[in-house]
Amino acid sequence: MMRFILGLSLLAAPALAEEPTIPRFEDVTTSAGIDSVFSGEWEYMVGGGVAVFDCDGNRKPDMVLAGGTAPAKFYRNTSAVGGALSFAEATSGLEFDAVTGAYPLDIDSDGMMDVVLLRVGENQLMRGLGDCRFEAANADWGFDGGDGWSTAFAATWEDGQSWPTLAIGNYVDRNEPMMPWGSCTENWLHRPGETHFGAPIPLTPSYCALSMLFTDWNRSGTPSLRVSNDREYYKGGQEQLWRIEAGSAPELYGPEDGWQRLRIWGMGIAGHDLNSDGYPEYFLTSMADNKLQVLSNIPEGGAPLPVYADLAYARGVTAHRPYTGGEIKPSTAWHAQFEDVNNDALADLFVAKGNVWEMPDFALLDPNNLLLQRPDGTFLEAGEVAGVASLLTARGAALADFNLDGLMDLVVVNRHANAQLWQNVSEDAGNWLAVSPQQPGSNRDAIGGWIEVRTGDLTQRREVTSGGGHVSGVMGFSHFGLDDAQDAEIRVLWPDGTEGDWQPAEAGGFYSLGRDAPLARWVPDAD
């Protein structure tokens, strides 16, 4: 039977459902030492991201925040384990100006995290040297950084390659500020050549990308490239799905493949297997037209087609208007990320909100959303009660466990205002565990693989990706809420299709899992 029936059943879900536990967040921006503004006008009305990753080996996430016309800022994590969040601004080599976004990625697979800086102008691949020091590596790695207005990124490892394939999304022609409509510039695919990266391959047609994500939407073992595009500037464009297969030229999915035309102000992509059926759902941010896409035609024993039903209304995640602040005009959504913020074993959804540039038809006071998932698959808006309903103009963001206490904290980059940092100080959250898959050789972080955590009859799945959101990326432990479960089983489905064995784990721990290796619990050093 087709999965479309499941989608219809959700439309008839009861109005009242078990209410989730509301987490509590505390704004610690000032006390934690965060002082970073994403500034700039025309070329910086989009962008404004943050990269979160560990670069000094203590597993506590550090971060770099885009500055726009100001230099990017790097912050070393000085938080005590389980204590108050604190960061120290430091010189790292990442302090470029004209940065719109950043993504962590171990490009050369040497065990030291590298960083991709998206910029207005030449993009920069920054090689990690250890101890949070970085150097420009474009020339050494044969990477053409271009001279565009870059606003999207994703990475994968194609079969047989020791270096990643990088996708770069670009916005309008920055030399046409008075007449930008229809001037979307080419997106690029950077595949490995004989010596590191080859010449960039244009992904045409290109339609002003603001988010990209390599994702195995059909569980074929080969991720495709989703591209979310801003209809404000393209002419005749739409959302895109590219077939990226080793040894073949990129190829767009079209109507003959089941792909349905969708035109939105596409700004961010977040993927997650919300209903534990093995296939990811996708939340697409836009201006008052956010989508929650669910595969609607999975035949028994057959391969699915990329036909999606929009269940945003049925699930309660339209997030199309402000819920506080007094505005009734439509909202503008940017970064989106699924994470379990109350550890009840159900993925929740954070959405960063902010007007593009005082657009009069859209809300100026536009609070961020924190949508908590209920057991029936619907969501409850909890941003104001939880304490993250900022009315500043948000862009990029990241949820991460900065002090390694098992609770997901939040950082948001704002345009023309200071970034904000919230510590999750919930006292009634459920149990949890965190997993970091590691494999030898290339693609050390197992991008393109899947992590599975099983508690009783429930199996949670997370795809390991680099990309999505809005110009913001996180690399490190993957977090799983366990509700009241005291233990679980963990396995990894590795990028080459190898299925790891299920291994037992206790709640409340950080675990590293290598290929053909026993699960290893990692205990943070007390500070």
Side-chain angles (χ1 to χ4, degrees), residues 6 12 43 68-69 99 212 236 275 287-288 296 368 389 410 421 443 448 508 514:
L6 172 63
E43 294 170 318
T69 53
V99 172
M212 291 175 153
N275 57 7
M287 299 169 71
S296 61
N368 302 323
L410 172 65
L421 178 67
N443 190 12

Side-chain angles (χ1 to χ4, degrees), residues 20-23 25 315 339 341-342 344 346-349 370-374 378-383 386:
T21 300
I22 307 295
F25 287 82
R315 299 284 188 96
E339 292 289 352
V341 295
N342 53 10
D344 62 357
L346 297 169
D348 309 304
L349 176 62
L370 185 63
L371 295 149
L372 305 179
Q373 189 178 177
R374 300 181 176 100
T378 62
F379 287 76
L380 169 72
E381 176 59 66

Side-chain angles (χ1 to χ4, degrees), residues 213-355:
L213 181 65
F214 279 107
T215 176
D216 192 2
W217 65 273
N218 59 357
R219 299 307 300 271
S220 67
T222 302
S224 301
L225 179 64
R226 286 202 66 138
V227 184
S228 203
N229 299 304
D230 183 5
R231 68 176 298 175
E232 179 74 13
Y233 292 104
Y234 64 61
K235 292 182 178 180
Q238 59 175 296
E239 298 293 283
Q240 294 173 306
L241 182 67
W242 289 87
R243 216 180 256 107
I244 308 292
E245 297 183 352
S248 300
E251 181 181 356
L252 269 175
Y253 281 86
E256 67 280 3
D257 305 303
W259 183 252
Q260 299 165 305
R261 173 172 159 158
L262 175 63
R263 303 182 71 189
I264 58 175
W265 290 274
M267 296 173 175
I269 306 170
H272 200 90
D273 179 10
L274 294 174
N275 57 7
S276 297
D277 69 345
Y279 293 93
E281 285 74 54
Y282 300 99
F283 187 77
L284 310 178
T285 61
S286 182
M287 299 169 71
D289 195 17
N290 304 304
K291 307 293 186 184
L292 180 61
Q293 292 195 322
V294 181
L295 271 177
S296 61
N297 72 329
I298 304 176
E300 291 185 6
L305 299 176
V307 179
Y308 287 88
D310 176 21
L311 297 188
Y313 178 77
R315 299 284 188 96
V317 291
T318 55
H320 60 287
R321 290 184 187 277
Y323 54 87
T324 189
E327 293 249 22
I328 61 172
K329 292 179 180 180
S331 283
T332 304
W334 298 89
H335 182 85
Q337 187 174 340
F338 286 105
E339 292 289 352
D340 188 351
V341 295
N342 53 10
N343 290 341
D344 62 357
L346 297 169
D348 309 304
L349 176 62
F350 174 79
V351 184
K353 292 286 190 66
N355 194 289

Side-chain angles (χ1 to χ4, degrees), residues 92-94 125-129 133-138 140-141:
S92 66
L94 299 173
L125 302 187
M126 303 299 297
R127 175 167 41 205
L129 302 175
R133 295 175 298 112
F134 299 85
E135 67 178 9
N138 284 9
D140 289 347
W141 290 348

